[in-house]
């Protein structure tokens, strides 16, 4: 009986100690694995960044330095592009690897042929997409994302090449070098002409966004608002089937009506929206369900006393727009609780489960 008691006491003492040391060893293992993962990823990222610079400069001597002497991989298909799709003047080419074995000299020669095919290169990058193996000394594997923007020889416009490579790296020599590489997938997207043309001026939207003057000469607690409003609003405010444009502005916001023939006209004053300065955001929605879109405007600054609070404008049957309310007066500059109204955006949404005549509510942030 005494022997059994001693065993119980011994077990009750030894077991917690064993558990403690076991947990400590386990945590230490995971911590070491975590640091190895982090440092390996960091080393690969650094090396790929240097290789990217060599690609950008078409420096094949430097590129060769990133491969081991015994490199053994397959062709990446960089110089073997096959057109796979064409739509609206945009062509897509796929990288095709023949799977042939490639040593270091062949791999570097493939890069040389690929890079020589560009008249100019704007940028080139290699990035770690997924670190697949990092816990074996001297052997690291990763999926690498490749991206290059440049103008191929004979092309009128730049294109973009994207690809994924599976690479194995050797770090046994103290520096990280590629010892295997193969193509996962890749393609080139390129067009014969620009897909977007700036027609704003010829279409009648000849308008220069300006800062509210106070943005330039006084300190701002929220300085990020100095760099522009939340964005323009496109909405068919007059229900003629064409999208119109409301553009927030620091000096005078603008409403441009779409004439339906590819042109716009400035109807700001005619619509009753003249003098809207310091506007951060404007948004259209039919808040009273009368079939006409209403306009909610939020300001950050204004030169008009008492007009810093948000405003809600509603159109009449013939659409000029009139202000029916000045909202959230608790946010006025004279409010003892809040001296400055700052808003970067707003949302229209149906609030609650009961449908009413004013079933759409407004929220700003």
């Amino acid at each position: 009986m005494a022997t059994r008691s001693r065993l119980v006491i011994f077990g009750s003492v030894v077991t917690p100690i064993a558990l403690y040391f076991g947990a400590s060893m386990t945590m230490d293992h995971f911590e070491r694995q975590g640091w190895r993962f982090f440092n390996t990823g960091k080393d690969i990222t650094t090396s790929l960044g240097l290789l990217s610079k060599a690609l950008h400069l078409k420096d094949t001597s430097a590129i060769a330095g990133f491969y081991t002497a015994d490199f053994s991989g397959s062709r990446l298909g960089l110089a073997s592009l096959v057109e796979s799709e064409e739509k609206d003047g945009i062509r897509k080419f796929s990288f095709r690897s023949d799977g042939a074995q490639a040593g270091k000299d062949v791999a570097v020669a493939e890069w040389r042929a690929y890079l020589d095919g560009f008249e100019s290169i704007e940028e080139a990058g290699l990035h770690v997409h997924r670190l697949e193996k990092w816990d074996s000394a001297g052997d690291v594997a990763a999926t690498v994302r490749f991206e290059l923007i440049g103008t191929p020889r004979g092309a009128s416009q730049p294109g973009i090449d994207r690809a994924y490579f599976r690479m194995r790296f050797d770090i046994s020599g103290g520096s990280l070098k590629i010892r295997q590489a193969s193509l996962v997938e890749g393609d080139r997207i390129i067009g014969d002409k620009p897909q977007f043309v700036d027609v704003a001026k010829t279409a009648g939207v000849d308008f220069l966004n300006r800062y509210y003057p106070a943005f330039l000469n006084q300190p701002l607690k929220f300085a990020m608002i100095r760099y522009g409003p939340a964005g323009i609003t496109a909405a068919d405010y007059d229900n003629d089937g064409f999208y119109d444009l409301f553009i927030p502005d620091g000096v005078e916001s603008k409403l441009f009506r779409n004439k339906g023939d590819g042109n716009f006209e400035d109807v700001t004053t005619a619509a009753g929206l003249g003098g809207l300065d310091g506007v951060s955001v404007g948004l259209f929605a039919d808040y009273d369900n009368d079939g006409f879109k209403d306009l909610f405007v939020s300001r950050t600054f204004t030169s008009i006393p008492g007009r810093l609070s948000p405003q809600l404008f509603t159109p009449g049957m013939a659409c000029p727009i009139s202000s029916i309310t000045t909202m959230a007066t608790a946010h006025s500059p004279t409010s003892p609780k809040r001296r400055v109204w700052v808003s970067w955006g707003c949302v229209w949404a149906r609030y609650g489960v009961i449908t009413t005549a004013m079933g759409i509510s407004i929220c700003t942030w």
Side-chain angles (χ1 to χ4, degrees), residues 7-166:
L7 289 174
V8 171
I9 294 172
F10 178 78
S12 64
V13 173
V14 172
T15 300
I17 295 174
L19 290 173
Y20 171 77
F21 281 106
S24 297
M25 292 175 65
T26 301
M27 292 300 293
D28 182 63
H29 170 75
F30 283 119
E31 184 176 4
R32 283 187 283 106
Q33 286 291 89
W35 277 110
R36 179 176 289 178
F37 177 86
F38 172 79
N39 288 320
T40 301
K42 181 180 177 181
D43 290 342
I44 296 177
T45 299
T46 300
S47 295
L48 291 178
L50 295 173
L51 177 55
S52 299
K53 291 181 179 179
L55 293 173
H56 192 184
L57 297 172
K58 300 184 180 182
D59 187 348
T60 52
S61 296
I63 293 171
F66 288 92
Y67 285 81
T68 61
D70 61 348
F71 172 85
S72 178
S74 59
R75 296 180 187 273
L76 300 178
L78 297 171
S80 303
L81 295 172
V82 178
E83 185 169 351
S84 57
E85 185 179 349
E86 191 278 331
K87 184 177 181 181
D88 297 330
I90 301 295
R91 291 179 295 161
K92 179 179 180 180
F93 298 83
S94 298
F95 291 176
R96 295 288 174 85
S97 172
D98 58 9
Q101 290 296 307
K104 177 179 178 178
D105 291 341
V106 173
V108 175
E110 185 179 22
W111 277 115
R112 181 185 295 110
Y114 170 72
L115 297 172
D116 284 346
F118 287 90
E119 186 71 35
S120 62
I121 296 176
E122 296 178 23
E123 61 179 89
L126 288 162
H127 312 276
V128 177
H129 177 67
R130 184 161 66 94
L131 192 56
E132 299 175 354
K133 186 177 182 181
W134 72 92
D135 55 355
S136 177
D139 185 18
V140 175
T143 302
V144 174
R145 177 171 57 87
F146 169 65
E147 184 173 288
L148 183 144
I149 301 174
T151 304
R153 296 189 186 279
S156 59
Q157 300 294 325
I160 181 167
D161 290 357
R162 295 189 179 96
Y164 290 93
F165 306 133
R166 181 164 288 111

Side-chain angles (χ1 to χ4, degrees), residues 327-349:
M327 304 186 62
T329 54
H331 298 298
S332 67
T334 57
S335 169
K337 293 184 178 180
R338 193 169 185 178
R339 295 183 179 180
V340 179
W341 168 271
V342 177
S343 174
W344 287 286
C346 67
V347 170
W348 291 91

Side-chain angles (χ1 to χ4, degrees), residues 233-239 243-244 246 255 281-297 311-315 319 321-322 324 327 346-351 357-363:
T233 296
D236 180 14
Y237 89 96
D238 55 358
N239 290 346
Y243 280 102
D244 312 293
F246 177 78
L255 177 65
V281 64
L283 200 61
F284 285 91
D286 181 11
Y287 95 99
D288 53 1
N289 296 330
D290 66 351
F292 292 92
K293 294 180 179 65
D294 311 289
L295 174 63
F296 176 77
V297 171
Q311 291 176 272
L312 178 63
F313 297 87
T314 187
C319 274
I321 302 177
S322 58
I324 63 168
M327 304 186 62
C346 67
V347 170
W348 291 91
R350 185 172 297 280
Y351 177 76
M358 295 180 65
I360 298 180
S361 304
I362 307 161
C363 175

